[in-house]
Amino acid sequence: MDARLALFLAVVVFVAAAGAVAYRRKRARVRGERGALFRDVWKMFDGVEEAQDDVDFPVLTGERAGHRWRLEPVVDSLTYRKLPSLWLCVTCYADLGTEAPVSVLLRPTGNEFFSPNRGYAHELPPPDGCPAHARVATPVAGAPPVPLGPVGMLLGEQATKEVLLSARGVRVVRQVGEARQGAYRVGRRIDLGAPVVDADDLARVCDAMVATVTERAGVAS
Amino acid sequence: MSEAVPVTTQTQDHLTLRKVLSPIHIWGLGVGIVLVGEFMGWNFSVEKGGMYGGLVAAWVVGLLYTSLVMINSEVTSAIPAAGGQYAQAKHTIGPLMAFNVGLYLTLAYTMLEAANANVLGYLLTTMSTVLGSDTELSAYPFAVLAILGLTWLNYRGVFVTLSVNFLITGFAFLTVVALFIGIAGWDPGGTMSLAGLTGDLANGLPYGWIGVVAACQFGMWYYLGIEGTAQAAEECRSASRAIPLGSMAGIMTLIIAATLTWYVCAGLLPWQYLGTAITPLFDAARVTGNGVLMMLLMFGTLFATLASANGCINDASRAWFSMGRDRYLPEWFGAVHPRYRTPFRSIVFLSPIAIAFAILPILLNRDTLLSTVITFSILSGLLMYAFMGPNFIRFRRLWPLGTIQRAYVLPFHPVPAVTLILLVGLVFFATFLGYGVALLSVLVFYLLASVWFVLRRYKHVDRNAQFTAPLPRPRGY
């Protein structure tokens, strides 16, 4: 074997081995960083269970105010020419007794795979205080508009993406992170950093959701 | 209505919704996935127009892209719907235009990806020979594995922590600078032989001024993809100056890099060879006899092609996915992987198409077929640019200044739009000079695709879902 070729191959093997070690370490670090997403909100819930799939962001379930909750982060990098977002789907399970689900999706692009809004064929008039760039929809034709209640106040906040009411409960989707511009625009690298959900902000959202559930329960009874 | 409450989400590194580009990333926008055009493809302009034809083409097409980026900046800042040119077409023209734009984007990036893989395969097989290997390696596995590997990365989304880094694209740029320094580029008569290789008109303008026009076709390759540096934030109106500033900085970087690339190659390689080379910068480094330079340019070309191919898979699949979601294509393509949250069917579907075009020159044993693959990409991009000029003029007429909010206002309208229209026409004519069959094939393909869309897909389109942004009714509606 030619000496130059042998040297080249030796360098390649060394670089590959060093790269593999660095990659494993980086993977462990990323898992730890992403796993800290709910670090500050554990104390808000009882019976907390957290599950993390490999290096993905974790999913948290627990109980609060007498209801079962699910906090699921979703990385959305699907819209062409748009920075990827990290959404947090906050779900409060409760029997609302609504006739038909209603979804208020803000700034729709058509690619919101985490929302059923696209599949709801019947549009409704936007509720008071809802931004103009929104789609309010339900799957049931002729269904009466469902008052959103206190959770509707979240529609005026930039971080809110969707408010969904159904017979099974209430869900609010909030943005908790966005990919760094430089990394994505230069090399399409999705760098969401190491976001940590703010406990005060989440508490405020949860309280609004509980208030809506309580209000709906009063209406149903 | 409650007042919007500022998001108070904490992050370990102060992540906020509105990000500002650092200076290094502003510069990097011109380097990223676009820089590959300096390492391959641009030199086919020399075959068409000679050394000086290639240089003029680089500058003239730079003007085309400057106009394009400026137009794109205003439209992006005015239409509060994310989705780039695809969403813009949906909102300002209609589904058929949006379908064509989506198709242009998909094929422009898929053909670019194929060209990248082809060059990578050629580069590695050539390098093995240079390093003294007695075995002539096949380029097939390198090209195919490159596409499959990058497809796998994109398929797994954020589950892959190994991703194309800014560093390797920055390294690629630095190798061009290193080559300039290594050959003492400030002395055109030293290592270089600029006067000898370009001084005679027979080398500089072998086909006269018609050759300069013809060369503009491949002048596109220096800049193709720079429009992809514009990315909207969730609120859909990025910081008012971020998009044009970043993209203009990228254009300037590319113009400098293009001139530098031309200068280095023009001083080392005869135009007859340069015009058909697959890896012009790498070949220029080989001519110097300097092993270090050769190795640097080998890695520079390798990194540039990988970075570009990675970006192409990302962008092409998103465009195809969006068309599936909008029912312009079967909704099957609009599926999202339940675990990785990626448009996995779109990614996988486009992969064999890229592989097929990447290995076609190898299969037919005609390396220079790469220029035809590149032409397919150029023409797809060119068709999109062709509509942007008239669409923008129409956009300004329907929504004049003051009727909708614009974070960025294009100055000297309609000069940039008219400039874009004229230069696009010039490049179409340039393509006709030598690649008329490819031009005709592409036009026929898109025409047939449009007919298919009208006959088979239009009935599935939800017209109410096309116009979601709260733009006021256009003037005269």
Side-chain angles (χ1 to χ4, degrees):
Chain A
M1 180 185 285
D2 185 88
R4 287 181 303 173
L5 182 61
L7 176 63
F8 178 78
L9 289 175
V11 169
V12 168
V13 169
F14 174 78
V15 170
V21 171
Y23 178 63
R24 285 175 62 90
R25 287 181 181 173
K26 182 182 178 186
R27 229 175 142 70
R29 178 175 56 80
V30 168
R31 178 181 165 83
E33 288 176 352
R34 292 177 180 175
L37 179 67
F38 297 123
R39 180 191 66 198
D40 293 345
V41 303
W42 264 67
K43 57 184 181 298
M44 290 175 53
F45 301 91
D46 300 319
V48 172
E49 293 178 6
E50 193 174 276
Q52 185 177 12
D53 179 9
D54 197 4
V55 294
D56 198 6
F57 289 93
V59 175
L60 183 147
T61 56
E63 294 211 1
R64 178 183 167 91
H67 299 283
R68 189 77 184 153
W69 294 76
R70 179 182 174 87
L71 275 61
E72 181 175 1
V74 174
V75 177
D76 174 13
S77 65
L78 299 178
T79 301
Y80 184 73
R81 292 286 184 267
K82 178 179 175 290
L83 293 172
S85 291
L86 177 64
W87 303 112
L88 182 64
C89 300
V90 183
T91 306
C92 173
Y93 294 99
D95 184 3
L96 295 188
T98 55
E99 183 180 323
V102 62
S103 162
V104 182
L105 182 66
L106 304 180
R107 303 176 300 278
T109 63
N111 296 330
E112 291 85 0
F113 60 93
F114 47 86
S115 166
N117 186 283
R118 182 93 171 185
Y120 290 174
H122 306 283
E123 293 196 34
L124 298 171
D128 292 339
C130 180
H133 195 183
R135 183 174 188 267
V136 186
T138 181
V140 178
V146 176
L148 296 178
V151 77
M153 293 172 62
L154 298 175
L155 293 174
E157 298 179 11
Q158 180 63 43
T160 302
K161 181 65 172 177
E162 184 191 24
V163 172
L164 172 68
L165 263 67
S166 75
R168 295 181 59 205
V170 181
R171 188 174 75 177
V172 173
V173 180
R174 303 267 291 182
Q175 185 180 29
V176 296
E178 192 168 58
R180 289 194 165 98
Q181 272 206 41
Y184 195 73
R185 289 172 75 174
V186 173
R188 299 296 183 267
R189 187 166 66 93
I190 303 174
D191 181 2
L192 292 161
V196 177
V197 176
D198 180 68
D200 293 337
D201 185 62
L202 181 63
R204 189 173 54 79
V205 171
C206 291
D207 291 345
M209 295 170 71
V210 169
T212 290
V213 168
T214 304
E215 193 175 282
R216 292 296 307 166
V219 169
S221 62
Chain B
M1 171 182 163
S2 64
E3 287 191 4
V5 176
V7 174
T8 56
T9 301
Q10 292 178 354
T11 66
Q12 294 179 2
D13 53 359
H14 307 291
L15 186 74
T16 57
L17 288 178
R18 195 163 278 162
K19 303 295 291 183
V20 176
L21 282 174
S22 64
I24 192 70
H25 280 128
I26 289 176
W27 167 77
L29 291 176
V31 173
I33 61 178
V34 194
L35 191 68
V36 70
E38 321 301 314
F39 289 86
M40 62 88 167
W42 67 269
N43 55 292
F44 295 121
S45 65
V46 174
E47 183 189 29
K48 295 191 79 180
M51 286 298 196
Y52 290 126
L55 181 63
V56 173
W59 292 342
V60 168
V61 178
L63 183 60
L64 183 158
Y65 270 91
T66 301
S67 304
L68 175 78
V69 160
M70 292 167 68
I71 287 171
N72 191 48
S73 296
E74 176 174 324
V75 180
T76 301
S77 75
I79 293 183
Q85 295 91 347
Y86 176 71
Q88 292 161 16
K90 271 202 294 184
H91 282 81
T92 62
I93 309 297
L96 179 59
M97 183 77 248
F99 169 75
N100 273 278
V101 169
L103 210 54
Y104 300 153
L105 292 168
T106 303
L107 289 181
Y109 288 119
T110 302
M111 293 299 112
L112 171 52
E113 176 194 344
N116 288 328
N118 176 269
V119 168
L120 187 148
Y122 174 87
L123 177 72
L124 293 176
T125 54
T126 302
M127 196 61 196
S128 71
T129 306
V130 169
L131 287 173
S133 170
D134 296 326
T135 307
E136 186 174 337
L137 298 179
S138 168
Y140 283 113
F142 295 115
V144 173
L145 286 174
I147 291 177
L148 290 180
L150 292 172
T151 297
W152 177 82
L153 288 181
N154 278 270
Y155 185 95
R156 284 178 41 103
V158 291
F159 275 68
V160 175
T161 53
L162 172 69
S163 52
V164 176
N165 202 308
F166 170 77
L167 288 176
I168 71 171
T169 53
F171 175 83
F173 180 83
L174 289 176
T175 61
V176 181
V177 177
L179 182 60
F180 176 83
I181 295 172
I183 61 172
W186 50 88
D187 180 11
T191 305
M192 300 171 66
S193 178
L194 191 66
L197 292 172
T198 64
D200 193 323
L201 269 184
N203 297 325
L205 291 175
Y207 305 118
W209 286 104
I210 194 68
V212 176
V213 172
C216 287
Q217 171 192 351
F218 290 105
M220 293 269 294
W221 206 240
Y222 287 110
Y223 313 96
L224 190 73
I226 189 66
E227 71 276 11
T229 57
Q231 299 283 339
E234 170 58 26
E235 65 268 30
C236 297
R237 286 198 178 88
S238 301
S240 62
R241 304 186 76 81
I243 289 179
L245 179 65
S247 298
M248 289 304 299
I251 289 279
M252 283 188 279
T253 300
L254 286 171
I255 291 176
I256 293 170
T259 307
L260 197 64
T261 299
W262 175 89
Y263 176 76
V264 166
C265 292
L268 293 171
L269 300 169
W271 77 274
Q272 296 91 337
Y273 176 82
L274 181 60
T276 59
I278 305 300
T279 51
L281 276 177
F282 175 63
D283 291 349
R286 287 177 65 187
V287 164
T288 66
N290 186 319
V292 173
L293 284 179
M294 195 166 57
M295 199 62 65
L296 282 176
L297 269 297
M298 194 274 287
F299 281 109
T301 307
L302 182 69
F303 289 160
T305 55
L306 284 174
S308 174
N310 180 66
C312 288
I313 294 173
N314 183 90
D315 287 4
S317 62
R318 267 67 181 170
W320 197 256
F321 166 82
S322 294
M323 290 198 287
R325 293 282 292 189
D326 288 336
R327 302 182 201 159
Y328 297 167
L329 296 173
E331 288 178 84
W332 185 84
F333 291 110
V336 177
H337 196 285
R339 186 184 181 207
Y340 302 132
R341 315 290 198 191
T342 55
F344 66 114
R345 289 179 184 164
S346 298
I347 292 171
V348 171
F349 176 78
L350 294 173
S351 177
I353 297 174
I355 290 173
F357 280 93
I359 66 174
L360 191 63
I362 309 169
L363 193 66
L364 299 178
N365 199 27
R366 287 177 56 194
D367 292 339
T368 53
L369 261 185
L370 173 66
S371 64
T372 304
V373 176
I374 288 174
T375 298
F376 288 148
S377 179
I378 286 173
L379 285 173
S380 295
L382 204 58
L383 280 167
M384 185 171 63
Y385 306 155
F387 287 103
M388 285 183 71
N391 285 353
F392 183 72
I393 292 173
R394 182 172 181 272
F395 177 71
R396 272 290 186 101
R397 199 180 313 131
L398 292 178
W399 288 285
L401 295 180
T403 57
I404 57 175
Q405 184 182 348
R406 290 166 159 87
Y408 173 77
V409 176
L410 178 67
F412 312 120
H413 176 71
V415 171
V418 172
T419 302
L420 178 62
I421 292 169
L422 292 176
L423 290 178
V424 165
L426 178 73
V427 179
F428 268 123
F429 179 65
T431 308
F432 171 72
L433 298 174
Y435 288 83
V437 173
L439 173 62
L440 191 61
S441 305
V442 167
L443 292 176
V444 168
F445 169 77
Y446 283 115
L447 178 64
L448 292 176
S450 297
V451 170
W452 172 82
F453 174 79
V454 172
L455 294 178
R456 300 301 292 264
R457 296 306 308 173
Y458 195 78
K459 59 188 174 219
H460 300 290
V461 173
D462 179 2
R463 289 303 303 266
N464 290 332
Q466 303 307 302
F467 200 89
T468 59
L471 287 174
R473 280 188 176 182
R475 188 171 68 175
Y477 183 81

